[in-house]
Amino acid sequence: MHDIRRARTYSFAALLFLACAPAARVEPAAPPSPGDEAAPAPAETITAEAPAHAIIPTPAQLDFTGGPPFTLSAETAIGVETTDSAAASVGEYLAALLRPSTGFNLPIHPVAEVPAQGSIRLRLGGDASLGEEGYRMEVSAGGIELTAAAPAGLFYGVQTLRQLLPPEIEHDYNGPLRDATITVPAVTIVDRPRFAWRGAMLDVARHFFTVDEVKEYIDGLALYKINVLHLHLSDDQGWRIEIRSRPRLTEVGSVTQVGGGPGGFYTQEDYAEIVRYARSRFITIVPEIDLPGHTNAALVAYPELSCGTRPPALYTGTDVGFSTFCVDNPGTYELIGDVLRELAQLTPGDYLHIGGDEVEALTDEEYARFVGRVHQVVTDLGKRAVGWDEISKARLDSTTLVQLWAGKSVANALRQGAKIVVSPASRVYLDMKYDEHTELGLSWAGLTDVREAYDWDPANFLDELSEENIAGVEAPLWAETLRNLPSAQYMAFPRLPGVAEIAWSPQAKRNWEDYRARLAAHAPRWRILGINYYRAPEIDWR
């Protein structure tokens, strides 16, 4: 937890109440029970609802052509670039999404063999200026043509197509739309992201989330074109990743969590499955080992490396700042080297997050020297370092990403050529309470309703920031009070889609009144998907 108002503390009893508080679970519609007999439903036409569209993030360019819509039918086929395995997987993803609810076969063929008439065709090529994540989609009565320069663009185009289809398309049981006429409006969309880094963070250290829970969270991110999942894998309360050269980290450091409880950790096979699943949805996993503070769980396993203000012991509270590695002990860097080496081998993405926040037990000189050494370890492993904005006090290089959370100056980072991931606690910390009545979450950074999380521009957040020196935007979700996926979803939705739009859509295309109308139309989709959400009073929910 980042807590810039240090005086605030939380009792175990209060935290246990918050963790156990009901999160107003929204249940998905149940499939019909076996043997139930029902009269056939009358045919109905289901189309995208008002406003003009409900796509989140809103596309860079969207034009309704006024022509007749495309009708999805039993004769529809999907054409894919079978010579590119990643592109072919997008076609399989689309078919798997549409088949259960429609009952259609939706066969997949090489795109060159599928006629444009009556088909959905996913093609590589087109406008190179759209980059690897942009796409162009043309929908007419004759068919749907989706083109992109790279498979990621096809995937993001599919998420837009998904949102042009009725929410009922999300049902994963057989045929709820079998008797419906399913149409997609005639439209031309040309779209690409504003920022390359469109992130969310999940804190699995304060409360442990299972592999399946993380995968379900990833599915929610994918719907909104988020492409980074930052996993906070270690903190004072728990160490969550197996390091085979250092087994005591999990044997000793993983066994608890905030408020008590069993804790847990990911085996290397578990972590590889999370990485694989995320990659299938074009999401990069960025693992964080928070250093040199927030390290009590590691120091319980290796107490000889502790120079904190308290002796290492299993910890289930929420106070911060008391733990740190000894920066002059060679064993510290041997341990960190082992951890980061194994993590780098497990992580195909470019980044390792080294934390760096809320270190009270070191001088500025000691802190800067430590960060410099660990930064070099990351670089030597062929990765790029990411850290919270405090690492700006150390020597960095132009490959570094600095994650701004406290709203402090990042001028020193920018002078060194680093770029900024913008994550202001007062705007996009999803664990902040919506209002004073919210049972879950914290409030040290203030209360953050849906509009406050949406209605701001990263390029204007600090005087030093501009479009050119921002790598992207990320929404952290800290888990002191969140002990399961429904509670995490309740705090993330409906704010997370707005952060996704900030990161993807051009600033000139964003408008609160338009957005709140589009957001309201997503509630039926979330209910079908089983995504728990907060019915924010500023939204006219459907």
Side-chain angles (χ1 to χ4, degrees), residues 158-466:
V158 163
Q159 301 312 311
T160 296
L161 173 59
R162 182 180 177 183
Q163 294 184 31
L164 286 169
L165 288 160
E168 290 82 1
I169 210 76
E170 307 290 349
H171 281 297
D172 61 0
Y173 60 90
N174 189 36
L177 292 176
R178 190 181 300 274
D179 299 308
T181 300
I182 308 164
T183 65
V184 182
V187 67
T188 296
I189 296 174
V190 181
D191 201 11
R192 65 175 299 169
R194 179 184 183 188
F195 296 118
W197 185 291
R198 305 180 303 282
M201 190 214 79
L202 183 62
D203 172 12
V204 299
R206 271 47 175 274
H207 281 101
F208 182 66
F209 291 79
T210 68
V211 172
D212 285 342
E213 287 178 317
V214 175
K215 289 164 75 170
E216 191 169 344
Y217 198 67
I218 286 170
D219 283 335
L221 305 182
L223 177 59
Y224 297 103
K225 304 183 177 72
I226 287 173
N227 67 348
V228 171
L229 175 57
H230 165 186
L231 289 177
H232 186 75
L233 291 169
S234 68
D235 215 294
D236 293 317
Q237 301 84 356
W239 183 279
R240 305 304 183 201
I241 181 68
E242 177 190 20
I243 302 299
R244 289 176 179 168
S245 62
R246 300 286 185 152
R248 285 182 59 78
L249 288 169
T250 48
E251 290 171 356
V252 177
S254 73
V255 298
T256 192
Q257 56 190 16
V258 168
F265 69 94
Y266 305 117
T267 67
Q268 293 198 359
E269 291 77 14
D270 290 336
Y271 182 78
E273 174 59 18
I274 290 171
V275 169
R276 182 206 63 79
Y277 193 81
R279 291 186 79 183
S280 75
R281 281 137 178 83
F282 295 86
I283 292 173
T284 297
I285 296 296
V286 175
E288 179 186 355
I289 301 298
D290 206 348
L291 301 167
H294 288 271
T295 46
N296 183 76
L299 295 170
V300 171
Y302 295 92
E304 68 276 13
L305 302 180
S306 174
C307 284
T309 59
R310 305 179 192 176
L314 291 177
Y315 181 66
T316 60
T318 60
D319 195 12
V320 298
F322 61 89
S323 60
T324 186
F325 279 107
C326 294
V327 299
D328 294 320
N329 189 329
T332 290
Y333 301 100
E334 293 171 5
L335 173 65
I336 291 170
D338 290 342
V339 169
L340 295 181
R341 182 179 62 256
E342 290 194 34
L343 200 54
Q345 292 168 349
L346 292 168
T347 305
D350 293 337
Y351 302 96
L352 295 180
H353 201 303
I354 59 174
D357 58 321
E358 298 180 321
V359 180
E360 295 183 349
L362 299 178
T363 66
D364 285 350
E365 187 276 332
E366 289 172 326
Y367 174 85
R369 179 156 41 90
F370 175 89
V371 170
R373 287 191 64 169
V374 174
H375 186 288
Q376 188 61 52
V377 172
V378 172
T379 301
D380 290 346
L381 289 168
K383 300 293 187 179
R384 297 175 61 181
V386 190
W388 300 104
D389 54 25
E390 288 94 326
I391 71 167
S392 298
K393 293 183 288 188
R395 178 174 293 180
L396 309 175
D397 63 33
S398 60
T399 70
T400 310
L401 296 182
V402 173
Q403 188 164 3
L404 183 156
W405 69 274
K408 300 175 183 176
S409 172
V410 291
N412 192 48
L414 295 174
R415 279 194 295 269
Q416 299 181 77
K419 289 201 171 185
I420 310 302
V421 175
V422 187
S423 299
S426 60
R427 293 286 188 167
V428 297
Y429 269 31
L430 301 180
D431 55 303
M432 292 299 106
K433 293 174 178 286
Y434 293 98
D435 59 33
E436 64 273 16
H437 304 298
T438 309
E439 292 179 312
L440 297 172
L442 303 175
S443 59
W444 58 263
L447 305 174
T448 308
D449 63 24
V450 177
R451 181 168 188 171
E452 287 168 319
Y454 175 82
D455 206 5
W456 63 286
D457 180 2
N460 292 331
F461 186 73
L462 292 179
D463 290 342
E464 301 100 316
L465 292 178
S466 65

